[in-house]
Amino acid sequence: MPETSSFPLNRRDFLTSLGGGVLVLFTLADVEAQESGHGGHRREHEPLPRDIAAWLHIPATGEITAFTGKVEVGQNIRTSLTQAVAGELRCSPGSITLVMGDTAHTPWDMGTFGSRTTPTMAPVMRKMAGTAREMLADAAARRWNTTRQNVDVADQCVVNRASGARLTFADLAGKIDWVKTIGRDDCVTPPDKWTVAGASLPKVGSREIVTGEHKYPSDHKLAGMLYGKVLRPPSFGATLTSVDTSAAARMPGVTVIHDGDFVGIAARDEHLAQKAIEAIKAEWKQVPQISSGQLFPYIKSKEEPAPPPANAAQSAKTLKSTYTIAYIAHTPLEPRAAVAEWNGNGLTVWTGTQRPFGVRTQLAQAFNLPEKQVRVLMPDMGSAYGGKHTGECAVETARLAKGAGKPVKLIWTREEEFTWAYLRPAGIIEVSSGIDSSGKLTAWNFDNYMSGPSAIESPYESPNEHVDFHEVKSPLREGSYRGLAATANHFARESHIDELAAAAGMDPLAFRLKNLKDERVRAVLQAAADHFGWSGKKSTATRGYGLACGTEKGGYVACCVEVSISGNHHVQVNHVVEAWDSGAVVNPEHLKNQVEGAIVMGLGGALFEAIDFADGRILNDRLSKYRVPRFSDVPRIEAVLIDRKDVPSAGAGEIPIVGIAPAIANALYAATGKRIRSMPILPTLQA
């Protein structure tokens, strides 16, 4: 029977930040922390469990299961963490089952972002697995009345060197109290002795992915499940003034869920849900808002007076430049999706999120539930790029399921993903500098307005330096994006360094090496230049060569590019060489994939990606209007990996993206003599 459902919620826990009809749950510290330019995360310093039982299960039956609150979003940490555990247990990766992002079973985790998994989670799992290995070896040695030095661990067995006797992990595991066993740092294998880590193992679950068997969040199904749709406002900040749901409520197989400004549909299939949502008649109160063309004047109007700049009095030459950065979208292959099921007062949600425990908190607050009554599971999803920190889709789906009294699946459309998800921050960066007659920096002033502080500190040495990030209230919803503002800050800094090199009459490589103080940046820069053959490249009017370098989050990157220009300033990036140093390499092939993927993604923001908006609406809210990199845009890419066994592994999911945009801009200047100081580059070049 057709029906309309209404239910009370505690609205004090809601933020109507996306306009009427979309209510986003939040703890203020959580939301501010995950969006660019704000402070630390709630519970950031919560101690991790110290006992092995929280991280590793080796029951008497012998199966090995490892647990982590981190999630797999395409960056391949399922494989690298499996390698970490298998390497310490001296067993094959295929013998490990890794449970990820399940709030009912995995240790609490802040989230998967910031390139933190490799430097923070992998060491924990190595420590737990290494300690487990030693506990098993000690147990076997005691049974044989020998010493630890007389036994080896291999292939899920402990072997007596003298007699050849073998005991399996299953034989020994039941004799150990894992809950009382605390992880020890002295059991971890150093990188120069890795056997499983350090090798290019195939991706875990790759067969299921390439054959289509893998179930993403949008593929998840439950018996009796309905399909949801949410009524969206016509613009940001619009409030619902009246609504008529009667036509939708009369449709067989449709339930209307209406609570305050939230209006949604649960129906037996997606087509019916869409038909019902279109049948709802709603009126909205809208508010005037700025457009794309007014963005940078708006940011300038909100600027606070900057502190006095660094002294450039001793400079032989000075420069001052302004760089602008547009909003861009994450454009994940899989838009937000969730399935929600209520069982009494218990709620289970399967959803694509980088922060399962954060989403659990949001859901608990939304429905006034203890967190222990909420379970969030994250099936390996179809990419995120920093865009899936918040749980609005999960909350919407749970509201629909509660109102309908049945499990509900909600998948955002591509238009919803473009419009209601948050964006990479836009901004303005002002740089002024000075050099002496030899080409040494004498002054460096760098002010970032709105786009964020990530990688704002310069690796170049200057005796007078001023660097500052200025918060400006964004007219659009903004948040984390791969690399945060490191791309914007590298674009401005590396473009300006090239301008200084030209002013000094120096080769861009030589100028950088003269002023760089960080030896690891110097090393990747030299490696990229040597592999690229920089010294033999001479730019012409139709072919240009450029480079850029930098560092952030323990990663060191240098990028050299070749571009060609033809016709009406048609630009083709032909060749990219990127050198990368993130310490000890865990999986060389997959690290190359990360570098190559970051470069391809970075091409979009560098050349043509930009959100067009007016009056609270996104105007290019679909892929037919929003240009992303295509196969024809992809250049020949060579990744040069520097494997530093003497340095702990850092993450590589973000920072390989930062070099491509300034390298392209510098190459275009070398060919055309036109300095582009905006991202994306092509609209300015072709103007």
Side-chain angles (χ1 to χ4, degrees), residues 286-306:
Q286 301 185 56
V287 294
Q289 297 173 60
I290 70 167
S291 65
S292 302
Q294 300 166 308
L295 175 61
F296 298 124
Y298 163 85
I299 296 174
K300 292 291 289 185
S301 73
K302 302 298 180 181
E303 287 184 11
E304 296 179 358

Side-chain angles (χ1 to χ4, degrees), residues 257-376:
I257 296 89
H258 182 196
D259 181 62
D261 275 0
F262 182 87
V263 181
I265 295 293
R268 63 173 180 262
D269 59 58
E270 292 177 276
H271 176 75
L272 181 59
Q274 182 63 36
K275 185 178 179 181
I277 207 77
E278 291 173 354
I280 294 174
K281 298 178 181 177
E283 295 183 359
W284 305 84
K285 181 181 179 181
Q286 301 185 56
V287 294
Q289 297 173 60
I290 70 167
S291 65
S292 302
Q294 300 166 308
L295 175 61
F296 298 124
Y298 163 85
I299 296 174
K300 292 291 289 185
S301 73
K302 302 298 180 181
E303 287 184 11
E304 296 179 358
N311 185 9
Q314 303 303 314
S315 303
K317 293 184 179 180
T318 59
L319 285 178
K320 185 174 183 179
S321 302
T322 298
Y323 305 86
T324 59
I325 316 297
Y327 290 112
I328 65 175
H330 297 81
T331 327
L333 189 62
E334 181 185 35
R336 281 162 173 73
V339 174
E341 181 179 41
W342 288 87
N343 183 8
N345 287 327
L347 171 63
T348 302
V349 176
W350 295 259
T351 189
T353 176
Q354 295 171 250
R355 300 176 63 239
F357 288 87
V359 172
R360 182 183 68 176
T361 298
Q362 289 180 290
L363 288 163
Q365 291 175 347
F367 299 99
N368 294 316
L369 296 172
E371 288 194 4
K372 65 182 180 180
Q373 290 177 215
V374 180
R375 181 184 182 187
V376 175

Side-chain angles (χ1 to χ4, degrees), residues 49-74:
R50 300 174 62 225
D51 59 289
I52 291 179
W55 302 94
L56 197 64
H57 288 187
I58 309 177
T61 51
E63 300 94 346
I64 303 172
T65 307
F67 300 87
T68 175
K70 299 296 183 187
V71 298
E72 172 64 50
V73 296

